[in-house]
Amino acid sequence: MIIVTTHTVPGKEIDQVVGFVRGSVVQSKNIGKDFMAGFKSMVGGEIKDYTEMMDQAREIALSRMVQQAEALGADAIVGLLISTSSIMQGCSEVMTYGTAVKLKG
């Protein structure tokens, strides 16, 4: 599956738009890691456990979006956007979305 943030695929022509696709996941923090992150936030620096958690959440959301696109028979997803939001304290949502298309040739 080709995935691009642009509205075209370089070197390819879009034959058909097959639909809007999305993937999402809500990820919660681990209490033990949350305690250590609170301490780390007082002294500064990257909180690697949270970076890894958000990387994993993005991968899950992307995978779910690709599954939707494949079910529609798409060759590519154009206009990819990724957003995050806080659902409640300790929980974040990662949402990926774009337009599933079929390419010529």
Side-chain angles (χ1 to χ4, degrees):
M1 179 70 57
I2 298 170
I3 304 172
V4 295
T5 57
T6 57
H7 295 287
T8 60
V9 177
K12 303 282 185 178
E13 190 175 340
I14 293 174
D15 184 44
Q16 177 185 2
V17 172
V18 294
F20 173 78
V21 290
R22 66 171 179 77
S24 68
V25 64
V26 174
Q27 201 83 345
S28 66
K29 299 175 187 174
N30 175 298
I31 292 174
K33 291 180 181 180
D34 201 31
F35 174 76
M36 292 306 293
F39 176 74
K40 182 73 172 183
S41 69
M42 292 187 321
V43 296
E46 179 182 7
I47 303 170
K48 291 184 182 182
D49 287 334
Y50 287 164
T51 299
E52 290 171 9
M53 179 189 77
M54 293 306 290
D55 283 344
Q56 180 184 33
R58 278 187 291 277
E59 287 301 318
I60 292 168
L62 279 167
S63 175
R64 290 177 180 171
M65 181 187 63
V66 167
Q67 287 174 355
Q68 272 192 352
E70 288 173 342
L72 294 172
D75 302 314
I77 299 169
V78 297
L80 170 69
L81 292 170
I82 300 175
S83 67
T84 60
S85 62
S86 178
I87 300 296
M88 58 186 233
Q89 183 153 354
C91 291
S92 295
E93 178 185 35
V94 175
M95 171 78 75
T96 59
Y97 51 101
T99 303
V101 298
K102 289 186 180 186
L103 302 172
K104 285 189 178 178

